[in-house]
Amino acid sequence: MMDNKTFIIAGIIVALLIGVVAVFMASGDPDGLESTALVVQGQKQLTGATPPDVEIKEDMTGKFSYTAPMPDYSLGESMGTMGGSIAIIGGTILAFLVVLGLACAIKFAVKPAK
Amino acid sequence: MHIPDAFIPIWQGGIYWIIALVFIALALKWAKNEMNEEKLPLVAVLAAGIFALQSFNLPVSMGTSGHLVGGALAAIILGSPFAAVFILTMVLIVQAILFGDGGITTLGVNIINMGVIGGFVGFYTFKGLKGVTKSMPIAAFVAAWLACVIPACACAVEMFFAGTFPLTEGLLAMGIYHAIIGVIEGVVTVAAIYLITTARPDLVDLGVKTVTGR
């Protein structure tokens, strides 16, 4: 049986490998929700392929808008797959640290309410 | 099925946020009471793994792709639907703020769909089927499949309330696409449970499994 340290290291390595492979292998097709949006907007057939260069029409009236620093898990066109890998590796490590940090904070910093 | 800001009016997003906050509070309570020091690394590693797996979009035909959501996985491995809410909330926050995957006003609804609905459907389906079939792979596969399809249908209904999708057409497309994406969810969930229980049988309590060597 693995000890805690080995388990954490092995787990993170597996996660990072999955993330980096994803940068090169992940499908560029829209996901289920985006695909459905294209179908209801009449831009795509339900069971058909997604035509190239289609864009989901968005009505932004009464909607909130926010631009993320690394949209679509990339650092921009010029950085290519290298940028994508950095974004995914950063995100994976951050997800680990945020959850570990919060979990530790809850467990050890917060005094039990009496 | 990360809903972007553009798909839901701000006021509706606010309502979902309020509901989500109730479950987030319960998840924090779970973390405080149920999560012991032994489980802590598992929780954090699962968060990293779910983040990475969510970025891996696999083609599912019909011009569509999909990836693992992970609600069922987190809930089954950690033995509580609130574990899924806890992990998915953190993963979704990182995705929305840094990567624009899912909106900010829609973070609440995304937490409800993938964390709360996914976690509860996954956990209780697994628990029920595990008792009946005594088979981890069958119970976990079905649980994960439902934990993908039911949140997708919920998402279609929310899109109808938002005026973004018509009801039947939205439900049909979301249901069909996620019925296939759910197969990925099922296979990856079973594989991940197998790997984790092999590496650390002491950390996982699947209900009927007898832990040897203790």
Side-chain angles (χ1 to χ4, degrees), chain B residues 31-70:
Chain B
K32 194 164 178 293
N33 297 334
E34 305 293 326
M35 189 176 60
N36 55 36
E37 282 167 52
E38 281 292 296
K39 274 191 178 173
L40 214 146
L42 180 58
V43 174
V45 165
L46 268 176
I50 288 173
F51 177 90
L53 282 165
Q54 286 209 1
S55 69
F56 207 149
N57 278 65
L58 292 162
V60 295
S61 80
M62 302 189 284
T64 305
S65 70
H67 57 72
L68 177 101
V69 178

PDB file of all heavy atoms in Angstrom, chain B residues 31-70:
ATOM      1  N   ALA B  31     -16.761  18.855   5.327  1.00  0.00           N
ATOM      2  CA  ALA B  31     -15.297  18.866   5.347  1.00  0.00           C
ATOM      3  C   ALA B  31     -14.788  18.976   6.777  1.00  0.00           C
ATOM      4  O   ALA B  31     -13.814  18.329   7.160  1.00  0.00           O
ATOM      5  CB  ALA B  31     -14.771  20.014   4.493  1.00  0.00           C
ATOM      6  N   LYS B  32     -15.462  19.795   7.564  1.00  0.00           N
ATOM      7  CA  LYS B  32     -15.021  20.034   8.933  1.00  0.00           C
ATOM      8  C   LYS B  32     -15.228  18.782   9.801  1.00  0.00           C
ATOM      9  O   LYS B  32     -14.369  18.416  10.599  1.00  0.00           O
ATOM     10  CB  LYS B  32     -15.829  21.189   9.514  1.00  0.00           C
ATOM     11  CG  LYS B  32     -15.282  21.773  10.786  1.00  0.00           C
ATOM     12  CD  LYS B  32     -15.957  23.133  11.002  1.00  0.00           C
ATOM     13  CE  LYS B  32     -15.500  23.769  12.274  1.00  0.00           C
ATOM     14  NZ  LYS B  32     -15.927  23.060  13.469  1.00  0.00           N
ATOM     15  N   ASN B  33     -16.369  18.118   9.615  1.00  0.00           N
ATOM     16  CA  ASN B  33     -16.714  17.004  10.509  1.00  0.00           C
ATOM     17  C   ASN B  33     -16.258  15.632  10.019  1.00  0.00           C
ATOM     18  O   ASN B  33     -15.865  14.791  10.809  1.00  0.00           O
ATOM     19  CB  ASN B  33     -18.228  16.967  10.732  1.00  0.00           C
ATOM     20  CG  ASN B  33     -18.723  18.215  11.429  1.00  0.00           C
ATOM     21  OD1 ASN B  33     -17.967  18.858  12.152  1.00  0.00           O
ATOM     22  ND2 ASN B  33     -19.971  18.570  11.193  1.00  0.00           N
ATOM     23  N   GLU B  34     -16.347  15.406   8.718  1.00  0.00           N
ATOM     24  CA  GLU B  34     -16.147  14.047   8.194  1.00  0.00           C
ATOM     25  C   GLU B  34     -14.759  13.820   7.607  1.00  0.00           C
ATOM     26  O   GLU B  34     -14.311  12.693   7.490  1.00  0.00           O
ATOM     27  CB  GLU B  34     -17.187  13.736   7.114  1.00  0.00           C
ATOM     28  CG  GLU B  34     -18.632  13.923   7.545  1.00  0.00           C
ATOM     29  CD  GLU B  34     -19.053  12.914   8.592  1.00  0.00           C
ATOM     30  OE1 GLU B  34     -18.554  11.773   8.532  1.00  0.00           O
ATOM     31  OE2 GLU B  34     -19.856  13.274   9.467  1.00  0.00           O
ATOM     32  N   MET B  35     -14.124  14.881   7.172  1.00  0.00           N
ATOM     33  CA  MET B  35     -12.856  14.698   6.491  1.00  0.00           C
ATOM     34  C   MET B  35     -11.726  14.610   7.513  1.00  0.00           C
ATOM     35  O   MET B  35     -11.430  15.578   8.201  1.00  0.00           O
ATOM     36  CB  MET B  35     -12.616  15.875   5.543  1.00  0.00           C
ATOM     37  CG  MET B  35     -11.435  15.697   4.630  1.00  0.00           C
ATOM     38  SD  MET B  35     -11.337  17.084   3.495  1.00  0.00           S
ATOM     39  CE  MET B  35     -11.164  18.429   4.645  1.00  0.00           C
ATOM     40  N   ASN B  36     -11.131  13.414   7.625  1.00  0.00           N
ATOM     41  CA  ASN B  36     -10.036  13.298   8.583  1.00  0.00           C
ATOM     42  C   ASN B  36      -8.696  13.540   7.891  1.00  0.00           C
ATOM     43  O   ASN B  36      -8.627  13.695   6.680  1.00  0.00           O
ATOM     44  CB  ASN B  36     -10.073  11.933   9.271  1.00  0.00           C
ATOM     45  CG  ASN B  36     -10.075  10.801   8.261  1.00  0.00           C
ATOM     46  OD1 ASN B  36      -9.423  10.909   7.223  1.00  0.00           O
ATOM     47  ND2 ASN B  36     -10.817   9.742   8.538  1.00  0.00           N
ATOM     48  N   GLU B  37      -7.645  13.584   8.687  1.00  0.00           N
ATOM     49  CA  GLU B  37      -6.328  13.896   8.125  1.00  0.00           C
ATOM     50  C   GLU B  37      -5.882  12.875   7.085  1.00  0.00           C
ATOM     51  O   GLU B  37      -5.159  13.199   6.157  1.00  0.00           O
ATOM     52  CB  GLU B  37      -5.290  13.969   9.244  1.00  0.00           C
ATOM     53  CG  GLU B  37      -5.352  15.265  10.016  1.00  0.00           C
ATOM     54  CD  GLU B  37      -4.542  15.196  11.292  1.00  0.00           C
ATOM     55  OE1 GLU B  37      -3.367  14.826  11.214  1.00  0.00           O
ATOM     56  OE2 GLU B  37      -5.101  15.505  12.363  1.00  0.00           O
ATOM     57  N   GLU B  38      -6.338  11.639   7.263  1.00  0.00           N
ATOM     58  CA  GLU B  38      -5.979  10.589   6.307  1.00  0.00           C
ATOM     59  C   GLU B  38      -6.606  10.841   4.937  1.00  0.00           C
ATOM     60  O   GLU B  38      -6.011  10.571   3.902  1.00  0.00           O
ATOM     61  CB  GLU B  38      -6.452   9.226   6.840  1.00  0.00           C
ATOM     62  CG  GLU B  38      -5.554   8.637   7.905  1.00  0.00           C
ATOM     63  CD  GLU B  38      -4.196   8.231   7.337  1.00  0.00           C
ATOM     64  OE1 GLU B  38      -4.183   7.340   6.490  1.00  0.00           O
ATOM     65  OE2 GLU B  38      -3.175   8.828   7.725  1.00  0.00           O
ATOM     66  N   LYS B  39      -7.842  11.346   4.954  1.00  0.00           N
ATOM     67  CA  LYS B  39      -8.564  11.542   3.697  1.00  0.00           C
ATOM     68  C   LYS B  39      -8.175  12.824   2.982  1.00  0.00           C
ATOM     69  O   LYS B  39      -8.442  12.984   1.801  1.00  0.00           O
ATOM     70  CB  LYS B  39     -10.079  11.547   3.958  1.00  0.00           C
ATOM     71  CG  LYS B  39     -10.674  10.148   3.961  1.00  0.00           C
ATOM     72  CD  LYS B  39     -12.185  10.190   3.948  1.00  0.00           C
ATOM     73  CE  LYS B  39     -12.740   8.776   3.901  1.00  0.00           C
ATOM     74  NZ  LYS B  39     -14.191   8.737   4.047  1.00  0.00           N
ATOM     75  N   LEU B  40      -7.556  13.739   3.723  1.00  0.00           N
ATOM     76  CA  LEU B  40      -7.247  15.049   3.172  1.00  0.00           C
ATOM     77  C   LEU B  40      -6.450  15.004   1.860  1.00  0.00           C
ATOM     78  O   LEU B  40      -6.810  15.672   0.889  1.00  0.00           O
ATOM     79  CB  LEU B  40      -6.501  15.843   4.234  1.00  0.00           C
ATOM     80  CG  LEU B  40      -6.775  17.335   4.249  1.00  0.00           C
ATOM     81  CD1 LEU B  40      -6.733  17.866   5.670  1.00  0.00           C
ATOM     82  CD2 LEU B  40      -5.769  18.052   3.400  1.00  0.00           C
ATOM     83  N   PRO B  41      -5.352  14.194   1.792  1.00  0.00           N
ATOM     84  CA  PRO B  41      -4.621  14.121   0.523  1.00  0.00           C
ATOM     85  C   PRO B  41      -5.478  13.592  -0.614  1.00  0.00           C
ATOM     86  O   PRO B  41      -5.374  14.062  -1.748  1.00  0.00           O
ATOM     87  CB  PRO B  41      -3.475  13.143   0.812  1.00  0.00           C
ATOM     88  CG  PRO B  41      -3.515  12.814   2.240  1.00  0.00           C
ATOM     89  CD  PRO B  41      -4.736  13.397   2.853  1.00  0.00           C
ATOM     90  N   LEU B  42      -6.365  12.632  -0.308  1.00  0.00           N
ATOM     91  CA  LEU B  42      -7.230  12.061  -1.331  1.00  0.00           C
ATOM     92  C   LEU B  42      -8.166  13.120  -1.908  1.00  0.00           C
ATOM     93  O   LEU B  42      -8.371  13.197  -3.131  1.00  0.00           O
ATOM     94  CB  LEU B  42      -8.034  10.904  -0.729  1.00  0.00           C
ATOM     95  CG  LEU B  42      -9.012  10.167  -1.643  1.00  0.00           C
ATOM     96  CD1 LEU B  42      -8.306   9.590  -2.850  1.00  0.00           C
ATOM     97  CD2 LEU B  42      -9.727   9.053  -0.881  1.00  0.00           C
ATOM     98  N   VAL B  43      -8.693  13.959  -1.035  1.00  0.00           N
ATOM     99  CA  VAL B  43      -9.597  15.024  -1.483  1.00  0.00           C
ATOM    100  C   VAL B  43      -8.863  15.963  -2.443  1.00  0.00           C
ATOM    101  O   VAL B  43      -9.364  16.304  -3.519  1.00  0.00           O
ATOM    102  CB  VAL B  43     -10.148  15.810  -0.264  1.00  0.00           C
ATOM    103  CG1 VAL B  43     -10.975  17.005  -0.716  1.00  0.00           C
ATOM    104  CG2 VAL B  43     -10.998  14.902   0.613  1.00  0.00           C
ATOM    105  N   ALA B  44      -7.644  16.363  -2.066  1.00  0.00           N
ATOM    106  CA  ALA B  44      -6.887  17.297  -2.898  1.00  0.00           C
ATOM    107  C   ALA B  44      -6.452  16.661  -4.220  1.00  0.00           C
ATOM    108  O   ALA B  44      -6.508  17.291  -5.275  1.00  0.00           O
ATOM    109  CB  ALA B  44      -5.674  17.810  -2.127  1.00  0.00           C
ATOM    110  N   VAL B  45      -6.024  15.389  -4.163  1.00  0.00           N
ATOM    111  CA  VAL B  45      -5.607  14.695  -5.386  1.00  0.00           C
ATOM    112  C   VAL B  45      -6.805  14.517  -6.326  1.00  0.00           C
ATOM    113  O   VAL B  45      -6.689  14.694  -7.539  1.00  0.00           O
ATOM    114  CB  VAL B  45      -4.958  13.325  -5.050  1.00  0.00           C
ATOM    115  CG1 VAL B  45      -4.859  12.446  -6.288  1.00  0.00           C
ATOM    116  CG2 VAL B  45      -3.572  13.533  -4.448  1.00  0.00           C
ATOM    117  N   LEU B  46      -7.970  14.204  -5.747  1.00  0.00           N
ATOM    118  CA  LEU B  46      -9.176  14.077  -6.572  1.00  0.00           C
ATOM    119  C   LEU B  46      -9.506  15.393  -7.277  1.00  0.00           C
ATOM    120  O   LEU B  46      -9.919  15.402  -8.433  1.00  0.00           O
ATOM    121  CB  LEU B  46     -10.368  13.657  -5.716  1.00  0.00           C
ATOM    122  CG  LEU B  46     -10.660  12.165  -5.592  1.00  0.00           C
ATOM    123  CD1 LEU B  46     -11.813  11.939  -4.630  1.00  0.00           C
ATOM    124  CD2 LEU B  46     -10.994  11.559  -6.957  1.00  0.00           C
ATOM    125  N   ALA B  47      -9.319  16.514  -6.577  1.00  0.00           N
ATOM    126  CA  ALA B  47      -9.581  17.821  -7.182  1.00  0.00           C
ATOM    127  C   ALA B  47      -8.674  18.045  -8.388  1.00  0.00           C
ATOM    128  O   ALA B  47      -9.121  18.471  -9.451  1.00  0.00           O
ATOM    129  CB  ALA B  47      -9.390  18.928  -6.153  1.00  0.00           C
ATOM    130  N   ALA B  48      -7.375  17.730  -8.222  1.00  0.00           N
ATOM    131  CA  ALA B  48      -6.423  17.885  -9.329  1.00  0.00           C
ATOM    132  C   ALA B  48      -6.807  16.970 -10.480  1.00  0.00           C
ATOM    133  O   ALA B  48      -6.822  17.376 -11.655  1.00  0.00           O
ATOM    134  CB  ALA B  48      -5.008  17.573  -8.842  1.00  0.00           C
ATOM    135  N   GLY B  49      -7.136  15.713 -10.161  1.00  0.00           N
ATOM    136  CA  GLY B  49      -7.488  14.740 -11.196  1.00  0.00           C
ATOM    137  C   GLY B  49      -8.757  15.128 -11.939  1.00  0.00           C
ATOM    138  O   GLY B  49      -8.826  15.019 -13.166  1.00  0.00           O
ATOM    139  N   ILE B  50      -9.754  15.594 -11.197  1.00  0.00           N
ATOM    140  CA  ILE B  50     -11.015  15.983 -11.836  1.00  0.00           C
ATOM    141  C   ILE B  50     -10.803  17.214 -12.712  1.00  0.00           C
ATOM    142  O   ILE B  50     -11.317  17.303 -13.825  1.00  0.00           O
ATOM    143  CB  ILE B  50     -12.127  16.207 -10.775  1.00  0.00           C
ATOM    144  CG1 ILE B  50     -12.559  14.835 -10.214  1.00  0.00           C
ATOM    145  CG2 ILE B  50     -13.328  16.938 -11.360  1.00  0.00           C
ATOM    146  CD1 ILE B  50     -13.526  14.895  -9.053  1.00  0.00           C
ATOM    147  N   PHE B  51      -9.980  18.163 -12.243  1.00  0.00           N
ATOM    148  CA  PHE B  51      -9.675  19.326 -13.076  1.00  0.00           C
ATOM    149  C   PHE B  51      -9.046  18.888 -14.397  1.00  0.00           C
ATOM    150  O   PHE B  51      -9.448  19.318 -15.477  1.00  0.00           O
ATOM    151  CB  PHE B  51      -8.731  20.298 -12.353  1.00  0.00           C
ATOM    152  CG  PHE B  51      -8.343  21.477 -13.197  1.00  0.00           C
ATOM    153  CD1 PHE B  51      -9.103  22.635 -13.183  1.00  0.00           C
ATOM    154  CD2 PHE B  51      -7.243  21.420 -14.058  1.00  0.00           C
ATOM    155  CE1 PHE B  51      -8.775  23.711 -13.992  1.00  0.00           C
ATOM    156  CE2 PHE B  51      -6.909  22.489 -14.875  1.00  0.00           C
ATOM    157  CZ  PHE B  51      -7.676  23.641 -14.836  1.00  0.00           C
ATOM    158  N   ALA B  52      -8.034  18.020 -14.317  1.00  0.00           N
ATOM    159  CA  ALA B  52      -7.329  17.574 -15.523  1.00  0.00           C
ATOM    160  C   ALA B  52      -8.276  16.804 -16.447  1.00  0.00           C
ATOM    161  O   ALA B  52      -8.309  17.039 -17.662  1.00  0.00           O
ATOM    162  CB  ALA B  52      -6.132  16.708 -15.145  1.00  0.00           C
ATOM    163  N   LEU B  53      -9.057  15.891 -15.873  1.00  0.00           N
ATOM    164  CA  LEU B  53      -9.969  15.084 -16.692  1.00  0.00           C
ATOM    165  C   LEU B  53     -11.041  15.947 -17.357  1.00  0.00           C
ATOM    166  O   LEU B  53     -11.479  15.647 -18.462  1.00  0.00           O
ATOM    167  CB  LEU B  53     -10.620  13.985 -15.844  1.00  0.00           C
ATOM    168  CG  LEU B  53      -9.717  12.780 -15.573  1.00  0.00           C
ATOM    169  CD1 LEU B  53     -10.285  11.931 -14.436  1.00  0.00           C
ATOM    170  CD2 LEU B  53      -9.567  11.921 -16.834  1.00  0.00           C
ATOM    171  N   GLN B  54     -11.442  17.028 -16.690  1.00  0.00           N
ATOM    172  CA  GLN B  54     -12.462  17.891 -17.289  1.00  0.00           C
ATOM    173  C   GLN B  54     -11.938  18.645 -18.498  1.00  0.00           C
ATOM    174  O   GLN B  54     -12.713  19.140 -19.316  1.00  0.00           O
ATOM    175  CB  GLN B  54     -13.002  18.879 -16.253  1.00  0.00           C
ATOM    176  CG  GLN B  54     -13.928  18.225 -15.248  1.00  0.00           C
ATOM    177  CD  GLN B  54     -14.962  19.168 -14.695  1.00  0.00           C
ATOM    178  OE1 GLN B  54     -15.028  20.327 -15.058  1.00  0.00           O
ATOM    179  NE2 GLN B  54     -15.795  18.672 -13.799  1.00  0.00           N
ATOM    180  N   SER B  55     -10.617  18.763 -18.616  1.00  0.00           N
ATOM    181  CA  SER B  55     -10.078  19.478 -19.773  1.00  0.00           C
ATOM    182  C   SER B  55      -9.921  18.541 -20.970  1.00  0.00           C
ATOM    183  O   SER B  55      -9.601  18.974 -22.070  1.00  0.00           O
ATOM    184  CB  SER B  55      -8.722  20.101 -19.422  1.00  0.00           C
ATOM    185  OG  SER B  55      -7.762  19.084 -19.250  1.00  0.00           O
ATOM    186  N   PHE B  56     -10.158  17.242 -20.736  1.00  0.00           N
ATOM    187  CA  PHE B  56      -9.935  16.254 -21.795  1.00  0.00           C
ATOM    188  C   PHE B  56     -11.244  15.951 -22.529  1.00  0.00           C
ATOM    189  O   PHE B  56     -11.985  15.054 -22.167  1.00  0.00           O
ATOM    190  CB  PHE B  56      -9.357  14.967 -21.199  1.00  0.00           C
ATOM    191  CG  PHE B  56      -8.516  14.180 -22.165  1.00  0.00           C
ATOM    192  CD1 PHE B  56      -7.457  13.415 -21.715  1.00  0.00           C
ATOM    193  CD2 PHE B  56      -8.770  14.206 -23.534  1.00  0.00           C
ATOM    194  CE1 PHE B  56      -6.661  12.702 -22.590  1.00  0.00           C
ATOM    195  CE2 PHE B  56      -7.996  13.486 -24.418  1.00  0.00           C
ATOM    196  CZ  PHE B  56      -6.937  12.737 -23.945  1.00  0.00           C
ATOM    197  N   ASN B  57     -11.503  16.716 -23.569  1.00  0.00           N
ATOM    198  CA  ASN B  57     -12.716  16.505 -24.351  1.00  0.00           C
ATOM    199  C   ASN B  57     -12.520  15.394 -25.366  1.00  0.00           C
ATOM    200  O   ASN B  57     -11.672  15.490 -26.234  1.00  0.00           O
ATOM    201  CB  ASN B  57     -13.099  17.780 -25.092  1.00  0.00           C
ATOM    202  CG  ASN B  57     -13.847  18.741 -24.201  1.00  0.00           C
ATOM    203  OD1 ASN B  57     -13.285  19.251 -23.233  1.00  0.00           O
ATOM    204  ND2 ASN B  57     -15.104  18.952 -24.501  1.00  0.00           N
ATOM    205  N   LEU B  58     -13.334  14.343 -25.222  1.00  0.00           N
ATOM    206  CA  LEU B  58     -13.263  13.238 -26.172  1.00  0.00           C
ATOM    207  C   LEU B  58     -14.410  13.360 -27.172  1.00  0.00           C
ATOM    208  O   LEU B  58     -15.516  13.756 -26.800  1.00  0.00           O
ATOM    209  CB  LEU B  58     -13.374  11.901 -25.429  1.00  0.00           C
ATOM    210  CG  LEU B  58     -12.182  11.554 -24.541  1.00  0.00           C
ATOM    211  CD1 LEU B  58     -12.552  10.487 -23.531  1.00  0.00           C
ATOM    212  CD2 LEU B  58     -11.011  11.091 -25.398  1.00  0.00           C
ATOM    213  N   PRO B  59     -14.147  13.032 -28.445  1.00  0.00           N
ATOM    214  CA  PRO B  59     -15.233  13.101 -29.426  1.00  0.00           C
ATOM    215  C   PRO B  59     -16.289  12.039 -29.134  1.00  0.00           C
ATOM    216  O   PRO B  59     -15.957  10.911 -28.793  1.00  0.00           O
ATOM    217  CB  PRO B  59     -14.520  12.829 -30.760  1.00  0.00           C
ATOM    218  CG  PRO B  59     -13.244  12.166 -30.401  1.00  0.00           C
ATOM    219  CD  PRO B  59     -12.876  12.608 -29.022  1.00  0.00           C
ATOM    220  N   VAL B  60     -17.563  12.410 -29.217  1.00  0.00           N
ATOM    221  CA  VAL B  60     -18.629  11.445 -28.971  1.00  0.00           C
ATOM    222  C   VAL B  60     -19.559  11.334 -30.185  1.00  0.00           C
ATOM    223  O   VAL B  60     -20.711  10.976 -30.048  1.00  0.00           O
ATOM    224  CB  VAL B  60     -19.464  11.801 -27.715  1.00  0.00           C
ATOM    225  CG1 VAL B  60     -18.620  11.720 -26.468  1.00  0.00           C
ATOM    226  CG2 VAL B  60     -20.100  13.170 -27.839  1.00  0.00           C
ATOM    227  N   SER B  61     -19.031  11.638 -31.380  1.00  0.00           N
ATOM    228  CA  SER B  61     -19.799  11.627 -32.630  1.00  0.00           C
ATOM    229  C   SER B  61     -20.836  12.746 -32.663  1.00  0.00           C
ATOM    230  O   SER B  61     -21.001  13.458 -31.695  1.00  0.00           O
ATOM    231  CB  SER B  61     -20.465  10.268 -32.886  1.00  0.00           C
ATOM    232  OG  SER B  61     -21.651  10.135 -32.130  1.00  0.00           O
ATOM    233  N   MET B  62     -21.533  12.885 -33.738  1.00  0.00           N
ATOM    234  CA  MET B  62     -22.546  13.915 -33.958  1.00  0.00           C
ATOM    235  C   MET B  62     -21.987  15.326 -33.748  1.00  0.00           C
ATOM    236  O   MET B  62     -22.681  16.214 -33.245  1.00  0.00           O
ATOM    237  CB  MET B  62     -23.762  13.679 -33.049  1.00  0.00           C
ATOM    238  CG  MET B  62     -24.403  12.316 -33.261  1.00  0.00           C
ATOM    239  SD  MET B  62     -25.972  12.136 -32.409  1.00  0.00           S
ATOM    240  CE  MET B  62     -25.439  11.917 -30.735  1.00  0.00           C
ATOM    241  N   GLY B  63     -20.724  15.508 -34.121  1.00  0.00           N
ATOM    242  CA  GLY B  63     -20.112  16.832 -34.039  1.00  0.00           C
ATOM    243  C   GLY B  63     -19.974  17.364 -32.630  1.00  0.00           C
ATOM    244  O   GLY B  63     -19.905  18.569 -32.417  1.00  0.00           O
ATOM    245  N   THR B  64     -19.904  16.453 -31.665  1.00  0.00           N
ATOM    246  CA  THR B  64     -19.928  16.867 -30.266  1.00  0.00           C
ATOM    247  C   THR B  64     -18.815  16.173 -29.487  1.00  0.00           C
ATOM    248  O   THR B  64     -18.371  15.095 -29.856  1.00  0.00           O
ATOM    249  CB  THR B  64     -21.303  16.493 -29.648  1.00  0.00           C
ATOM    250  OG1 THR B  64     -22.322  17.071 -30.460  1.00  0.00           O
ATOM    251  CG2 THR B  64     -21.444  16.987 -28.226  1.00  0.00           C
ATOM    252  N   SER B  65     -18.353  16.828 -28.422  1.00  0.00           N
ATOM    253  CA  SER B  65     -17.352  16.208 -27.564  1.00  0.00           C
ATOM    254  C   SER B  65     -17.814  16.304 -26.119  1.00  0.00           C
ATOM    255  O   SER B  65     -18.731  17.060 -25.802  1.00  0.00           O
ATOM    256  CB  SER B  65     -15.998  16.906 -27.725  1.00  0.00           C
ATOM    257  OG  SER B  65     -16.050  18.193 -27.160  1.00  0.00           O
ATOM    258  N   GLY B  66     -17.173  15.525 -25.268  1.00  0.00           N
ATOM    259  CA  GLY B  66     -17.550  15.565 -23.855  1.00  0.00           C
ATOM    260  C   GLY B  66     -16.425  15.056 -22.981  1.00  0.00           C
ATOM    261  O   GLY B  66     -15.480  14.431 -23.460  1.00  0.00           O
ATOM    262  N   HIS B  67     -16.531  15.358 -21.701  1.00  0.00           N
ATOM    263  CA  HIS B  67     -15.474  14.946 -20.774  1.00  0.00           C
ATOM    264  C   HIS B  67     -16.094  14.494 -19.465  1.00  0.00           C
ATOM    265  O   HIS B  67     -17.282  14.715 -19.226  1.00  0.00           O
ATOM    266  CB  HIS B  67     -14.525  16.110 -20.520  1.00  0.00           C
ATOM    267  CG  HIS B  67     -15.217  17.339 -19.998  1.00  0.00           C
ATOM    268  ND1 HIS B  67     -15.712  17.426 -18.721  1.00  0.00           N
ATOM    269  CD2 HIS B  67     -15.538  18.511 -20.593  1.00  0.00           C
ATOM    270  CE1 HIS B  67     -16.280  18.596 -18.551  1.00  0.00           C
ATOM    271  NE2 HIS B  67     -16.203  19.281 -19.672  1.00  0.00           N
ATOM    272  N   LEU B  68     -15.283  13.910 -18.614  1.00  0.00           N
ATOM    273  CA  LEU B  68     -15.744  13.519 -17.285  1.00  0.00           C
ATOM    274  C   LEU B  68     -16.161  14.765 -16.491  1.00  0.00           C
ATOM    275  O   LEU B  68     -15.534  15.803 -16.628  1.00  0.00           O
ATOM    276  CB  LEU B  68     -14.618  12.808 -16.525  1.00  0.00           C
ATOM    277  CG  LEU B  68     -14.964  12.414 -15.095  1.00  0.00           C
ATOM    278  CD1 LEU B  68     -15.303  10.937 -15.031  1.00  0.00           C
ATOM    279  CD2 LEU B  68     -13.851  12.750 -14.136  1.00  0.00           C
ATOM    280  N   VAL B  69     -17.221  14.626 -15.699  1.00  0.00           N
ATOM    281  CA  VAL B  69     -17.596  15.717 -14.802  1.00  0.00           C
ATOM    282  C   VAL B  69     -17.029  15.426 -13.412  1.00  0.00           C
ATOM    283  O   VAL B  69     -16.413  16.281 -12.790  1.00  0.00           O
ATOM    284  CB  VAL B  69     -19.126  15.905 -14.746  1.00  0.00           C
ATOM    285  CG1 VAL B  69     -19.471  17.020 -13.771  1.00  0.00           C
ATOM    286  CG2 VAL B  69     -19.655  16.234 -16.130  1.00  0.00           C
ATOM    287  N   GLY B  70     -17.241  14.209 -12.933  1.00  0.00           N
ATOM    288  CA  GLY B  70     -16.557  13.798 -11.705  1.00  0.00           C
ATOM    289  C   GLY B  70     -17.372  13.844 -10.430  1.00  0.00           C
ATOM    290  O   GLY B  70     -16.866  13.488  -9.370  1.00  0.00           O
TER     291      GLY B  70
END
